[in-house]
Amino acid sequence: MKAAVVRSFTEPLTVEERPVPTPAPHQVLVRMETSGLCHTDIHAARGDWPVKPAPPFVPGHEGIGVVEAVGDQVNHLSAGDRVAIPWLGEACGHCDHCVSGWETLCLEQSNSGYSVDGSHTEYAVAHGTYVVPVPEGIDPLDAAPLTCAGVTTYKAVKLSGARPGARVLVSGIGGLGHLALQYARIFGAETIAVDVTDEKLTLARELGADHVIDARTQDVAEEAQKLGGADAAISLAVSNESFSAAYGSLRRGGTLVLVALPAEGTLALPVFDTVLNGITVVGSIVGTREDLAEVFRLHRLGRTRVVRETRRLDDINSSIDEVLEGKVSGRLVFDLR
Ligand code: NAD
Ligand code: ZN
Ligand code: ZN
């Protein structure tokens, strides 16, 4: 089978022939159909973050495929079931985070395509309890972006307090942002989209953004304040400057939801303004299996539109360049069929 492999943080990925893995008793073997290229895969391949993966490893955590075989301990899935392999590869299942619906905060977790091999491959093994069933009727090319970009922004919008009458600013209309915008609208909010390319701003308008701001030519905070300020701003752009712009766009009592993770990401928080304006700053990490099931249900009901471009796995290095150059509309998805 073919797999994309990170062998070094400073070299391009290699596409290699590897033996098909054998599932352990708690695992399933999945024949991959599609796998989305999240910006996190690029951070992983470059070793951008303080906690680094250990090469060689296979990135990818927006994996959709069909179960080919199950380990002895897996009783709830069988060959032929379509499943999603998300970022949360495994958690302990018994700590206070796991039992209170915050399995994404478990200290014992493993992460697909980071601490364990992920989905940019023709066959993957994954923990049977942590893969998420994909409902009938969802195109695997749509299901892939929903598995990280979808669930992450659905959770971020939940944490933002978006509601009818609220104004939500979405900073970065990429893989994550084009879905964040749609969830903010589903929650009833007035939306402001911010990006730095004409194509992404046009896409934001097509997806129903009430206002768009071009961060190249406009002062984001100033423009947002002219509209009355944002009740919530969701930071999805891989740029430190965009964090302070999002912060500055808030109205009193507003919430900044941090999601993007640039290398050495920092935000200098003015304490006086934060206190006097009653600002909340919250970090948001992916979403749970339950959140992903809700994301799939909403899509099945026709409430979301996944914008994506497909590529072959052999083109993973040029695909990464396309994402970095801001040339991809929505999400780039590898078709592995
Ligand atoms: P992407 O490259 O698809 O999208 C980023 C978007 O930001 C692009 O449209 C780009 O044009 C835009 N942008 C760049 N500079 C900007 C600026 N100054 N202002 C506004 N927009 C700007 O990336 P993605 O896959 O959507 O991921 C975004 C980030 O979120 C990455 O850092 C990724 O690692 C992170 N992420 C975090 C989580 C989490 O759980 N917290 C989950 C998934 C991804
Ligand atoms: Zn991701
Ligand atoms: Zn746990």
Side-chain angles (χ1 to χ4, degrees), residues 251-267:
R251 67 195 292 262
R252 285 197 156 194
T255 300
L256 175 63
V257 185
L258 298 177
V259 178
L261 292 159
E264 287 150 33
T266 45
L267 166 67

Side-chain angles (χ1 to χ4, degrees), residues 8-330:
S8 138
F9 295 138
T10 53
E11 300 290 324
L13 279 73
T14 52
V15 176
E16 303 178 6
E17 274 303 316
R18 287 189 159 192
V20 174
T22 307
H26 63 283
Q27 287 180 324
V28 290
L29 173 67
V30 183
R31 178 168 42 82
M32 303 309 304
E33 299 178 297
T34 60
S35 187
L37 178 60
C38 181
H39 208 118
T40 291
D41 298 330
I42 305 176
H43 296 308
R46 297 179 162 200
D48 275 348
W49 296 341
V51 178
K52 296 183 197 309
F57 68 96
V58 177
H61 56 270
E62 284 188 346
I64 305 298
V66 174
V67 173
E68 181 104 345
V70 301
D72 292 347
Q73 293 165 11
V74 181
N75 301 313
H76 66 296
L77 293 169
S78 8
D81 292 347
R82 179 169 288 132
V83 294
I85 301 181
W87 172 254
L88 187 70
E90 180 176 357
C92 81
H94 52 74
C95 71
D96 57 343
H97 303 299
C98 280
V99 298
S100 64
W102 281 98
E103 61 201 23
T104 50
L105 299 182
C106 179
L107 280 162
E108 303 297 320
Q109 70 185 274
S110 68
N111 299 115
S112 312
Y114 207 86
S115 60
V116 294
D117 281 344
S119 59
H120 294 332
T121 173
E122 289 175 326
Y123 287 89
V125 286
H127 197 303
T129 305
Y130 288 87
V131 296
V132 175
V134 180
E136 282 289 324
I138 298 187
D139 185 331
L141 288 167
D142 286 348
L146 295 173
T147 298
C148 177
V151 74
T152 299
T153 53
Y154 181 63
K155 188 66 155 193
V157 168
K158 276 187 177 176
L159 289 180
S160 78
R163 60 185 188 288
R167 200 174 291 118
V168 174
L169 178 140
V170 178
S171 169
I173 309 298
L176 268 63
H178 91 281
L179 285 159
L181 195 54
Q182 298 180 59
Y183 294 125
R185 282 169 51 79
I186 289 169
F187 279 66
E190 177 185 347
T191 51
I192 309 171
V194 185
D195 208 292
V196 292
T197 82
D198 294 340
E199 293 76 15
K200 309 246 183 192
L201 294 170
T202 303
L203 175 64
R205 280 205 187 83
E206 278 169 27
L207 294 172
D210 297 296
H211 317 275
V212 300
I213 302 175
D214 185 339
R216 287 170 304 187
T217 55
Q218 293 176 290
D219 184 313
V220 175
E222 206 177 289
E223 294 302 317
Q225 293 303 340
K226 279 190 210 159
L227 297 167
D231 296 285
I234 305 178
S235 275
L236 307 170
V238 192
S239 133
N240 270 336
E241 306 83 77
S242 71
F243 296 152
S244 33
Y247 177 90
S249 72
L250 294 172
R251 67 195 292 262
R252 285 197 156 194
T255 300
L256 175 63
V257 185
L258 298 177
V259 178
L261 292 159
E264 287 150 33
T266 45
L267 166 67
L269 207 60
V271 173
F272 184 83
D273 292 345
T274 303
V275 172
L276 273 279
N277 294 332
I279 300 297
T280 302
V281 179
V282 57
S284 188
I285 177 76
V286 289
T288 61
R289 289 166 288 178
E290 191 182 15
D291 293 317
L292 181 52
E294 290 173 19
V295 159
F296 284 149
R297 281 212 297 279
L298 281 171
H299 191 71
R300 185 79 184 77
L301 290 168
R303 308 286 168 89
T304 46
R305 178 181 147 209
V306 175
V307 177
R308 29 78 176 172
E309 296 182 20
T310 55
R311 298 284 183 277
R312 303 306 299 177
L313 193 59
D314 287 318
D315 298 325
I316 189 160
N317 290 305
S318 57
S319 300
I320 288 174
D321 292 341
E322 288 182 83
V323 173
L324 290 172
E325 289 159 16
K327 287 184 179 156
V328 177
S329 188

